[in-house]
Amino acid sequence: MKNEDTIRRFYDAFAKLDADTMAACYAPEASFDDEAFSLRGRREIGGMWKMLCEGTRAKGADVWQLRYRDVQADATGGQAHWDAHYRFSATGRIVDNAIDARMHFTPEGLIATHRDRFDFWRWSRQALGLPGLLLGWSPMLKKKVRATAAANLATYLARNP
């Protein structure tokens, strides 16, 4: 139950854009990977969630919704499905993203590894419009999105040590 409680605490906090509680769910040496980010350590991971939550509060709180379901966990791992409805801050476009999360936990019930998977082409069509429609399937666009996300996070972390 401890690991299932961590998953629920994490997504309940995310629904409220409470990045501090989200960051506290991770072990100090945790890792996070998705289509846009590859992060190591609670500082980077927590920084990403703070950057995203602050951006959503500033430019999209009026449309923000997060729902999660299918939470399952055992002594070492867990998973959940979550759906996010938000305004992508870079373009102002509305995105409905469906994400499957898998996590592994420390014995203390903290997230050690977190992997989110979603359909990048579907996301890019919504978030980026025509460029996403035309190039969302290509490794080139994914590489550009990852580079932009990494640069944005580096800038955010430099301003918020």
Side-chain angles (χ1 to χ4, degrees), residues 29 50 95 97 101-102 136 138:
E29 301 303 320
K50 286 180 183 182
V95 174
N97 203 8
R102 291 201 176 272
S138 74

XYZ file of all heavy atoms in Angstrom, residues 29 50 95 97 101-102 136 138:
59
model
N 18.317 10.307 -5.570
C 19.015 9.898 -6.794
C 18.061 9.329 -7.842
O 18.462 8.519 -8.686
C 20.101 8.872 -6.454
C 21.143 9.381 -5.475
C 21.853 10.641 -5.947
O 22.167 10.753 -7.149
O 22.086 11.529 -5.101
N 8.336 21.880 -11.056
C 8.092 23.278 -10.647
C 7.958 24.179 -11.865
O 7.058 25.019 -11.925
C 9.211 23.776 -9.737
C 9.139 23.197 -8.353
C 10.257 23.705 -7.464
C 10.155 23.018 -6.107
N 11.164 23.469 -5.166
N -3.891 20.987 -25.404
C -3.414 19.608 -25.557
C -4.211 18.700 -24.631
O -4.452 19.042 -23.476
C -1.911 19.505 -25.209
C -1.436 18.063 -25.224
C -1.082 20.360 -26.157
N -3.450 15.018 -23.465
C -2.411 14.000 -23.549
C -2.749 12.837 -22.631
O -3.120 13.044 -21.477
C -1.051 14.593 -23.172
C 0.105 13.819 -23.749
O -0.076 12.918 -24.560
N 1.304 14.163 -23.335
N 2.304 5.730 -16.931
C 3.463 5.886 -16.054
C 3.822 4.551 -15.416
O 2.938 3.803 -14.990
C 3.157 6.899 -14.951
N 5.106 4.294 -15.354
C 5.643 3.146 -14.612
C 6.698 3.676 -13.657
O 7.517 4.519 -14.026
C 6.271 2.126 -15.542
C 5.262 1.417 -16.401
C 5.838 0.097 -16.908
N 4.851 -0.627 -17.658
C 3.966 -1.479 -17.148
N 3.957 -1.700 -15.861
N 3.097 -2.100 -17.900
N 5.927 15.281 -36.696
C 5.834 14.680 -35.367
C 6.286 13.239 -35.295
O 6.651 12.745 -34.226
N 8.924 12.175 -36.832
C 10.348 12.124 -37.155
C 11.225 12.251 -35.908
O 10.928 13.024 -35.005
C 10.715 13.225 -38.148
O 10.737 14.477 -37.494
